[in-house]
Amino acid sequence: MAPPPPGTPPFDTVLVASRGEIARRVIRTLRRLGIRSIAVYSDADAAEPHVREADAAVRIGPAPARASYLDADAIVRSARESGAQAVHPGYGFLSENAMFARACADAGIVFIGPGVEAIDVMGDKIRARDHVAGSGVPLVPGFSARDLDDEDIALRAADVGYPLIVKPSAGGGGKGMEVVREPGGLRAALASARRVAAAAFGDDTLLLERYIAAPRHIEVQVMADAHGNVIHLGERECTLQRRHQKVIEEAPSPIVDAALRERLGAAACAAAASVGYRGAGTVEFLVSGERPEEFFFIEMNTRLQVEHPVTELVTGLDLVELQVRIAAGEPLPIAQDEVALTGWAVEARVYAESPERGFLPAAGDVLAWRPSDAVRTDAAIETGSRIGTEYDPMIAKAIAHAPDRAEALRRLHAALGDTVLLGVDTNIAYLRTVLSDPRVRAGELDTGLLDRLHPTPAAPPSTGTAAAARDALETTRDRGDGWRARDGWRLGGIRARGVAVFDSDGGTVAVAGDAVADADAVVVAASDDEVWVHADGAAVRLRPVSRRAATLRALADDAGGAHAGLSAPLPGTVVAVHVGDGDRVSAGERMLTIEAMKMEHTLTAPRAGIARIRVAVGATVARDEDVAAVDDDEVEEARHAN
Ligand code: ADP
């Protein structure tokens, strides 16, 4: 980290109105500038690192964001009471809320961001389009559906042509956007987009645009001061998205040359100047892959972006420092011709989610967290953090910088392999798959690429990995913490010397007594039936198979019969059991129903045979817990013979 800059700090005290990695990142810069930082937190976050790392922290409310991080009154009050002269809103939450910016101003507190009018204009896609069009910024052909009925919309849509994209005008985060391939699909898409828009943004106004086939998302970082200077810091390519949400971002873009950079930069600065912009902003464009010289404005984000670190690494500038200085009235310290881009930077967003299970959000306790020291990592978490589902599932960003693109991708891929995160499912393995995809390596990107690139199924764990899990379990058990000795783990009082069977997402692995644990493995026994191991660049969750279950499986194999187990696809509650234990069932027959995440999942018999039900209605089940099985007659006989 750079030494504190000379001179008086621009403010004494700044309140950071956010949480997670961005709150920590802003606090870091404030500290370097000699500014006292005030964190805010909800009840869910009292023990999170941003609270401890700030010079002081204020509780603002209970866990739901509505009652805490989105409560403008509580935040302004906290700022006033803690003596903050300014508020940094981070991203998300109130960062693009004009009412909040106004409330700060009314309370005599500087909002570190643009003026209220710029937020207001750019916060609405239709207003933003109308506004920048006047400055000659090219737009995607499209129209506002405000005050039009569905018939009028259909007529206008026919003029623009299909395919079309329907977007909530007040939208963000890709929410509510619907692609319409042909006129027949329009009505349903409008209804669905309005529903999502009303619920998510409290405004169901829609914008329809021509859908650009296989586009690339290229955005320009702008920085403007209060003295009329506007510069751009080059582009970022954020084409690698899943369902319109960015996953991997880089700077510069592989398809932007110096001439195109100048045109994009000029358009971005014109868009910013058109609203008298101040501070850091991002102007987003879609660029046709086949004709990169053709670009279209889609929106402007009036805040710091998640992906700002790639720009910091190639420009050597601290964007938060620039934001703070500009908010204090200082002029931009550099001119456009002093902005130099060095090397290549690539960022990957680490999400708490399960790619193999349709990217469902994951929650739990972080049992181990060790970022790679070969790249910059901005993380929300540390060992011991609890990841809930209240807030955004993005828990860290890893950002590599290298002389060229190939090397930056290679370093990021390697660093993600060294990043240890145990206890919660993440997309780290998926990110590595993406980074090694030949199209990604070649820079042949389009916004649909990730939706076509499916997670590779988990590999079966190596014996060394399983041996590491076995040793961890045995040690924990010997210490007597957590791991309770149970039948089968001791034979006649002598430990069954390290013979163990584990289930994992990649399959079952058996370890013999003499198997040696992988020396580099990082292992944590979460409980007596779950061990997490990081080995060979990946995290795996191993579940010990009890001796009894292992014997039954072996019996089933010997009998030549079949034992088909059913496990809970998600953590949840058993709400119905449809057949009795020992009943004869036919293939496809409903066996039991689990409610999870407000949805019901019914498990059906994978084959005909004898039902084995291991849970009762009302039981809470863990993910992958064995809840039922269907045995065939031979297994049934073997069971009795045993
Ligand atoms: P949000 O504000 O919800 O993030 P954006 O307007 O920024 O919405 O669009 C997000 C993403 O959706 C873009 O990066 C792009 O992948 C896709 N998208 C948006 N508009 C279009 C369009 N007209 N044609 C094709 N894809 C689009």
Side-chain angles (χ1 to χ4, degrees), residues 125 140-141 165 167-168 171-175 177 179 201 209-217 238-239 241 244-246 284-286 298-299 301 447:
K125 293 189 207 294
V140 187
I165 187 163
K167 301 180 182 183
K175 281 206 192 88
M177 299 200 308
V179 179
F201 313 111
E209 280 179 355
R210 177 179 300 162
Y211 183 69
I212 313 284
R216 300 176 73 127
H217 174 118
C238 313
T239 298
Q241 311 177 346
H244 307 303
Q245 285 225 53
K246 299 162 187 169
E284 300 190 329
F285 299 97
L286 287 185
I298 49 172
E299 65 165 348
N301 290 323
T447 54

Side-chain angles (χ1 to χ4, degrees), residues 553-574:
R553 286 188 197 176
L555 281 170
D557 286 348
D558 287 350
H563 164 92
L566 284 175
S567 54
L570 298 163
T573 309
V574 178

Side-chain angles (χ1 to χ4, degrees), residues 232-301:
H232 73 86
L233 305 178
E235 77 286 357
R236 293 184 285 258
E237 171 138 20
C238 313
T239 298
L240 291 173
Q241 311 177 346
R242 228 181 49 76
R243 308 212 179 123
H244 307 303
Q245 285 225 53
K246 299 162 187 169
V247 178
I248 290 176
E249 302 101 337
E250 59 188 293
S253 157
I255 56 156
V256 173
D257 59 15
L260 181 55
R261 180 165 305 122
E262 210 174 303
R263 289 175 51 224
L264 281 164
C269 290
S274 78
V275 286
Y277 202 78
R278 188 178 68 230
T282 296
V283 184
E284 300 190 329
F285 299 97
L286 287 185
V287 176
S288 141
E290 292 87 61
R291 288 187 304 280
E293 65 290 349
E294 218 173 83
F295 59 84
F296 307 98
F297 169 89
I298 49 172
E299 65 165 348
M300 177 169 189
N301 290 323

Side-chain angles (χ1 to χ4, degrees), residues 415-486:
L416 287 170
D418 281 344
T419 300
V420 177
L421 202 169
L422 301 180
V424 182
D425 282 352
T426 72
N427 65 337
I428 291 178
Y430 178 66
L431 291 171
R432 299 186 83 219
T433 306
V434 174
L435 290 169
S436 47
D437 185 85
R439 288 160 294 189
V440 173
R441 296 249 153 159
E444 288 159 10
L445 315 174
D446 70 77
T447 54
L449 178 58
L450 290 199
D451 292 320
R452 302 189 303 270
L453 193 89
H454 301 294
T456 28
S462 70
T463 316
T465 301
R470 172 203 59 189
D471 294 355
L473 274 181
E474 290 183 352
T475 310
T476 318
R477 185 186 51 153
D478 286 348
R479 280 206 312 259
D481 48 23
W483 173 249
R484 298 180 303 279
R486 18 156 147 163

